[in-house]
Amino acid sequence: MGLFDKLFQGPKIDMEKSDANAKKMRLLFDQVVEDGDRYRLLFGYTEDVSRFNYGFVHGSRTKIGNLIVGWDEADPTIVVVPTVPDLSGCGEPTYYRRSEILKAYRNKYPTDAFIIYPDRSGYIGINAYDWLDDEKLYVYVSQEEELAAFTDFFMNRFAKK
């Protein structure tokens, strides 16, 4: 590996820390969601904290709300659980069942977010990436496979206009 490669390969992912955080996410999710093991999990965040239950992120000076996002392919449902970057606790889950939502789509601009409108008065935008490393703002986790699976589920089974 040349000097150029070393300079531009980016920071190395700590898979031990990532796996530990994925296990913590699972424990928190299963504590507050009935039959939590039916859901696959992804870490996401939202920047619109005013429209959601963020009891556990008050005190944060950012407008970022951390989310544990679960999805069930058999019964097209997304469950969102607010949390904090160190995964020390979480809030109550909110369920978005495809049959009960008004619309859902992927908004590419200005941000790449999964948008769900449960009704005419509000929405949630879920941002999710394959890896986030700013531990002050986000949960440190590598989730390339989970993000691909969630994106496929959202676009092909959940989205509706």
Side-chain angles (χ1 to χ4, degrees):
M1 182 181 290
L3 178 61
F4 180 83
D5 295 325
K6 286 182 183 175
L7 288 173
F8 292 99
Q9 70 182 9
K12 189 171 189 246
I13 298 171
D14 182 341
M15 286 309 295
E16 194 173 318
K17 184 187 287 187
S18 174
D19 291 345
N21 282 339
K23 285 178 184 164
K24 285 185 196 173
M25 284 170 41
R26 170 57 64 190
L27 285 171
L28 285 174
F29 188 85
D30 289 352
Q31 283 174 14
V32 296
V33 175
E34 190 175 334
D35 296 326
D37 58 346
R38 287 189 359 226
Y39 297 86
R40 290 187 69 174
L41 297 187
L42 177 81
F43 166 76
Y45 68 92
T46 186
E47 295 178 17
D48 184 3
V49 298
S50 64
R51 296 178 192 250
F52 206 65
N53 171 14
Y54 284 97
F56 276 82
V57 294
H58 291 314
S60 169
R61 294 203 176 127
T62 70
K63 292 188 174 182
I64 303 246
N66 284 257
L67 309 170
I68 302 170
V69 180
W71 73 97
D72 179 1
E73 299 199 17
D75 172 24
T77 302
I78 292 173
V79 182
V80 179
V81 176
T83 187
V84 285
D86 67 1
L87 296 169
S88 59
C90 66
E92 292 299 312
T94 300
Y95 292 78
Y96 299 98
R97 293 175 180 86
R98 188 179 191 278
S99 60
E100 298 170 357
I101 62 170
L102 187 64
K103 62 182 174 175
Y105 61 91
R106 191 168 183 186
N107 182 21
K108 296 297 250 178
Y109 305 102
T111 62
D112 185 5
F114 302 94
I115 311 293
I116 301 171
Y117 285 86
D119 50 47
R120 294 186 190 283
S121 61
Y123 72 94
I124 180 170
I126 300 169
N127 296 278
Y129 295 96
D130 57 355
W131 177 48
L132 293 165
D133 67 344
D134 184 346
E135 295 177 68
K136 291 185 182 126
L137 292 179
Y138 312 112
V139 172
Y140 182 102
V141 65
S142 174
Q143 54 185 11
E144 188 174 354
E145 185 179 321
E146 291 82 0
L147 179 59
F150 177 75
T151 302
D152 180 66
F153 165 76
F154 192 94
M155 298 302 294
N156 296 313
R157 301 275 323 279
F158 193 80
K160 72 180 195 181
K161 300 250 178 204

